[in-house]
Amino acid sequence: MAAPRRDTRGIVDAPELFARVRFRRREPAEPLRPYLEHYWLIDWDLPEPYVTQVVPHPSVNIVFQRYEGQEPFAEISGIGQTLFTQKLEGRGRVCGIQFRPGGFRPFAPAHPATHWTGRRVRHPEAFPEAFFDNAPDPAAILAPDDEDARVAALDAFLTGLDPRPDPQADLAMALVDRIRTDRTIRRVTDFARAEGVSVRVLQRLFSAYVGVGPKWVILRYRIHEALERAETDRAIDWAALAADLGYADQAHLVRDFTATVGVPPTAYAQAASPGGPTSRA
């Protein structure tokens, strides 16, 4: 498996976030790597509140969280279909587990992935089955100042869940990874034909193992790329980028970007440029 991603795709105004918090991605233990993207660790000590926003990936997360003035807690966070917004203030810490799209089901086979989509449900209410019988106290995950100790605790927790091999999960993960890396995949019908399955079979697989449909995944990865380009390219040809990402025209890209991020891409790019205005602090 590859090392944790180094891109900033999905993070709105990533430079501003990194300037305010300590953000790291860490690799899980080798037996867990087929199922996980990475662990993500955030620590902050802020003199004033800050609002962070993320365009979610098609991934389920388990997140251990500690905010000033609150008891530590853990939750399953299903795929978010809207812009995720979180206010950070004072001191705090988060230890997150990001599963590969399709990789969560082997750990929680009792429910299809759609059961979690759009939901953030806390332990213990989220886990009436045996899923969290051996879960550590969230405080035990979050307490160590030694980052390696936190990673080791996450490894121990997930390894103890003993995920069962599931060929359908393997297939779902492979198909989503193909969508993410192959920019020629633009239409579900063409993708299904290339994979030798019907559109309906593909949709059922994504519903059971990913949590959203293949069309949603294709569109979300397009927006991630457009968002990253808006932050790094100061002279974007939006019409050319729309065509490159498989949109019928620039208007379709603008519509999807605005609906997902909340502002048109040109306004976002202007705000992200050095010296540009920002309303995210």
Side-chain angles (χ1 to χ4, degrees), residues 106-226:
F107 293 85
H111 298 294
T114 49
H115 175 78
W116 308 105
T117 300
R119 302 177 66 202
R120 298 176 63 187
V121 191
R122 293 193 183 189
H123 166 63
E125 291 84 359
F127 316 114
E129 70 274 13
F131 184 78
F132 252 59
D133 281 355
N134 299 316
D137 181 342
I141 293 281
L142 295 159
D145 288 328
D146 179 9
E147 185 177 304
D148 291 340
R150 279 177 264 159
V151 170
L154 293 173
D155 282 340
F157 160 53
L158 289 176
T159 302
L161 294 176
D162 193 24
R164 297 288 189 265
D166 185 336
Q168 289 294 97
D170 294 340
L171 176 60
M173 288 187 283
L175 292 176
V176 175
D177 194 57
R178 203 162 299 157
I179 291 173
R180 175 165 53 185
T181 57
D182 185 351
R183 293 171 62 187
T184 67
I185 297 173
R186 299 173 176 177
R187 294 173 54 86
V188 174
T189 52
D190 295 340
F191 184 47
R193 187 182 305 112
E195 296 299 327
V197 298
S198 70
V199 170
R200 183 59 186 150
V201 166
L202 192 65
Q203 290 171 333
R204 284 201 299 265
L205 177 70
F206 273 59
S207 175
Y209 284 88
V210 181
V212 289
K215 180 178 180 180
W216 191 96
V217 175
I218 292 170
L219 291 173
R220 179 50 53 93
Y221 282 139
R222 287 176 177 175
I223 294 300
H224 279 171
E225 183 162 349

